[in-house]
Amino acid sequence: MVIDVKKDINVGVVGANGLVGYEMIKCLEELNDDRINIFTYASSISEGETIVTNKTKYKIEKLTEDSFKGLHFALFAENNKISEKYVKLAIQAGCIVIDNSSYFRMHKEVPLVCIGVNDEDVFLHQGIIASPSCCTIQLMRSLKILDDIFVVKKVIVSTYQSVSEIGKKAVEEYSMNQYINLPEYNSFPYYESPIHYSIKDNIIPQFEVFNLENGYSNEELNITNETKKILKEDINLSATCVIVPTYRGHGESVYIETEKEVDIEKFKEVIKKDNYVELKDDLEKQIYPLVKDCYYNKKAEIGRIRKDLFNTNAVHFFIVGDNLYLGAAYNTVMILKTLIDKTIIG
Amino acid sequence: MVIDVKKDINVGVVGANGLVGYEMIKCLEELNDDRINIFTYASSISEGETIVTNKTKYKIEKLTEDSFKGLHFALFAENNKISEKYVKLAIQAGCIVIDNSSYFRMHKEVPLVCIGVNDEDVFLHQGIIASPSCCTIQLMRSLKILDDIFVVKKVIVSTYQSVSEIGKKAVEEYSMNQYINLPEYNSFPYYESPIHYSIKDNIIPQFEVFNLENGYSNEELNITNETKKILKEDINLSATCVIVPTYRGHGESVYIETEKEVDIEKFKEVIKKDNYVELKDDLEKQIYPLVKDCYYNKKAEIGRIRKDLFNTNAVHFFIVGDNLYLGAAYNTVMILKTLIDKTIIG
């Protein structure tokens, strides 16, 4: 469908009452673009549920098959089941869809876009563009910089993921559990999990369902596969994804082997000039990325950059990003902006 | 000094009012050995401070240069400064010292002993035996098993360390911070740190002081150097040590490259029969190590064991251990037990 973006741009936020949905609405408002009209939907809502931002109040509509009439864009921030059912309906109704779920990310015809890395791929869409996992997004720009200069071969990632990644109910359980011993647990590692664990004083080395064949969780395989798709096929990344008792922001401990010997100072110099990554690295002043301080940062934060103790062609660093913002809502809305910055899109 | 262990064995616990000191006292009591008499000391105490266990009450003496008269053993659970000053005085007074601090660990003449790995080294002591860092201890047995069968070459570790590792005051700050926004922070990353950060909803990629030359923290270098000393010199381990908002128990995400291709099932079979590591690994049942459930376990817990996605000579796993018990007090008291199980020791 060809959209004339000189006029109204009708954007639907699907999953508006979730944590990411809320941040999407605020990101859309922040564009300060008069052409944009925001419409809010959710698959599961309470009667009369609204979203309140600094600018206005939105009454959320229950998501139905007819929700997409008249919309130009539909930004999805629901789960895989909802995306599986409704994305095609949105496309059929004429929308361009930007989807946060993992459902379509590896589909051949679906561009998987990380802003700052492969923005131009948005124009290859056939109705839908997928936004990567937050862990992939916050890592990708630094990985690209390193790859461009030193050629990345192998990556080992261990994550420190916050509870907000699971959802609003998980944040509520996490908060309550700081004060009272709950009679039961329903959120971790994920809502539909057959077995639930408490996150209080705990770290849970499971994020999403396990692939029983190779022993990795889907989140771990997401980072592997998405990195190959976004950056380059010839990159061997294995991850361990862990939930820790923090509210928001993910940490990643990263080890990378390169073809050429890494010049740490050069790497830092390039990052200092970069628009997508912020250097937080001064050991004498004890400056390094802290998840607590990264909320709403449009850039991933990188620090603890150092060579491996034994391999001159390997580095370690620590990367932090706001999983709800940088890793989801902001990436999604920047994909939208990349599209509408062109006069006519289709 | 030759000790006839048929009679009284006088054991001094130095740092008795700390978290590790307390666990040491309980471990000593658990030996149920009538020969053992426990004496408690601390470098910093309140007037009339006592330690209460299920068995009895101990009045803590202020640590002085004369504290070691009449003691056969002195178990140190204070900081490096205290060990630096008092360990030699304890040895001069005739004690065999077992030290938890990092001060003497890499000294040539000091055995560095991880029970289950190099127990026999205790008999090489010249007055002092050092107990390794908790991160080293909980990893070492699994590393040894893997090395014996497949020959370990390289290890990458990312830790998830709990606040109790910093100390009692840190646990207090962590607890209070769950309820109130504190006006200032004094515990993290460590007490004497020039700059302090809040641990609430935060992860801190610094554990101990940084070595400005190579960019690693002392804790990270501890794991590297202690592994070389305990297991074998030809093992390249680089670590990233991170504090997470949990009370007790450390997690470690471990990646290992081996000379021979790893047979995962064989590795698991050997662990199942092991006395020092417990297998917690069943993905279908969502069984993996959880720090919340590992308190007082005499064995490290290992799970998420799987091959690297791309390198057949590499594995990943997740290891958990009680840092105060397995990683400190229990290892220390088992070193003592190894010594006193011989009739005459010196």
Side-chain angles (χ1 to χ4, degrees), chain B residues 184-254:
Chain B
E184 52 178 28
Y185 303 102
N186 300 309
S187 301
F188 305 99
Y190 55 95
Y191 298 155
E192 307 85 2
S193 177
I195 291 170
H196 287 111
Y197 298 114
S198 162
I199 192 62
K200 183 171 170 63
D201 283 311
N202 208 7
I203 55 183
I204 301 174
Q206 174 177 5
F207 203 105
E208 282 193 25
V209 176
F210 284 123
N211 177 313
L212 296 179
E213 276 185 38
N214 55 36
Y216 286 77
S217 66
N218 279 353
E219 181 78 334
E220 291 161 358
L221 296 172
N222 285 345
I223 308 175
T224 295
N225 295 327
E226 293 170 20
T227 299
K228 281 179 178 289
K229 181 169 178 174
I230 294 169
L231 203 59
K232 66 182 189 185
E233 182 59 35
D234 181 24
I235 201 167
N236 293 340
L237 185 153
S238 293
T240 300
C241 290
V242 181
I243 311 172
V244 296
T246 54
Y247 156 55
R248 179 168 177 158
H250 291 351
E252 290 179 27
S253 170
V254 187

Side-chain angles (χ1 to χ4, degrees), chain A residues 154-160 174 177-180 185 189-190 193-207 210-212 214-217 220-221 224 228 235-242 244-255 257 283-293 295 304-311 314 316-318 320, chain B residues 154-160 174 177-180 185 189-190 193-207 210-212 214-217 220-221 224 228 235-242 244-255 257 283-293 295 304-311 314 316-318 320:
Chain A
K154 173 213 209 78
V155 186
I156 305 294
V157 183
S158 293
T159 74
Y160 300 70
Y174 159 74
N177 212 185
Q178 298 199 29
Y179 301 93
I180 56 178
Y185 303 101
Y190 55 95
S193 178
I195 291 168
H196 287 111
Y197 298 114
S198 162
I199 192 62
K200 184 172 171 62
D201 285 311
N202 209 7
I203 54 182
I204 300 174
Q206 175 177 5
F207 202 106
F210 284 123
N211 177 313
L212 297 179
N214 56 35
Y216 285 77
S217 66
E220 292 160 357
L221 296 172
T224 296
K228 280 179 178 290
I235 200 167
N236 293 342
L237 185 154
S238 293
T240 300
C241 290
V242 181
V244 296
T246 54
Y247 156 54
R248 181 170 176 155
H250 291 348
E252 291 179 26
S253 169
V254 188
Y255 166 76
E257 286 177 4
L283 298 188
E284 252 184 301
K285 296 182 185 158
Q286 292 172 268
I287 292 174
Y288 31 73
L290 294 171
V291 288
K292 198 183 174 68
D293 296 335
Y295 306 173
R304 294 298 323 272
I305 302 171
R306 62 207 188 278
K307 280 193 141 169
D308 184 71
L309 283 170
F310 306 98
N311 183 347
H316 298 256
F317 54 70
F318 200 78
V320 142
Chain B
K154 173 213 210 79
V155 186
I156 305 293
V157 184
S158 293
T159 74
Y160 299 70
Y174 159 73
N177 212 185
Q178 299 201 28
Y179 300 93
I180 55 177
Y185 303 102
Y190 55 95
S193 177
I195 291 170
H196 287 111
Y197 298 114
S198 162
I199 192 62
K200 183 171 170 63
D201 283 311
N202 208 7
I203 55 183
I204 301 174
Q206 174 177 5
F207 203 105
F210 284 123
N211 177 313
L212 296 179
N214 55 36
Y216 286 77
S217 66
E220 291 161 358
L221 296 172
T224 295
K228 281 179 178 289
I235 201 167
N236 293 340
L237 185 153
S238 293
T240 300
C241 290
V242 181
V244 296
T246 54
Y247 156 55
R248 179 168 177 158
H250 291 351
E252 290 179 27
S253 170
V254 187
Y255 166 76
E257 287 178 4
L283 298 188
E284 253 185 299
K285 294 181 185 159
Q286 291 173 266
I287 292 173
Y288 31 72
L290 293 172
V291 290
K292 197 182 176 66
D293 296 334
Y295 306 173
R304 294 298 322 271
I305 302 171
R306 61 205 189 280
K307 278 193 142 170
D308 185 69
L309 284 170
F310 306 98
N311 185 348
H316 298 255
F317 54 72
F318 201 78
V320 142

